[in-house]
Amino acid sequence: AETGKVVSNTDFKNVTLTATTTFTFNPVRNTVTAGNVNFTGENNKQARVVVSGQGRIRLCSPSGNLGGYPTSC
């Protein structure tokens, strides 16, 4: 079985990492708990990773122009 890498916001100076849930992956049903992970830099720009229950992953930037990602999440 493969294991993922665990990271912490202390690994990235001046970036705050917050999550709306603890993600749980179900390999039998091929599902994951839905939720968001937000990354906020010291300039208050934000990137958000949105995970659906079926495992669809989207990236957006609710704070505005950040790498050309859409602002609507």
Side-chain angles (χ1 to χ4, degrees):
E2 292 184 32
T3 59
K5 179 180 178 183
V6 176
V7 296
S8 169
N9 61 344
T10 59
D11 295 332
F12 301 93
K13 303 292 185 225
N14 302 317
V15 175
T16 302
L17 172 69
T18 56
T20 60
T21 188
T22 299
F23 293 100
T24 303
F25 295 89
N26 183 328
V28 174
R29 297 178 190 259
N30 291 322
T31 58
V32 63
T33 51
N36 302 326
V37 178
N38 298 304
F39 299 88
T40 306
E42 62 184 359
N43 58 2
N44 288 325
K45 292 213 175 200
Q46 186 180 62
R48 180 177 295 161
V49 178
V50 181
V51 181
S52 74
Q54 290 75 35
R56 179 177 178 235
I57 298 172
R58 297 180 287 132
L59 185 61
C60 61
S61 177
S63 65
N65 187 13
L66 180 65
Y69 293 106
T71 57
S72 61
C73 295

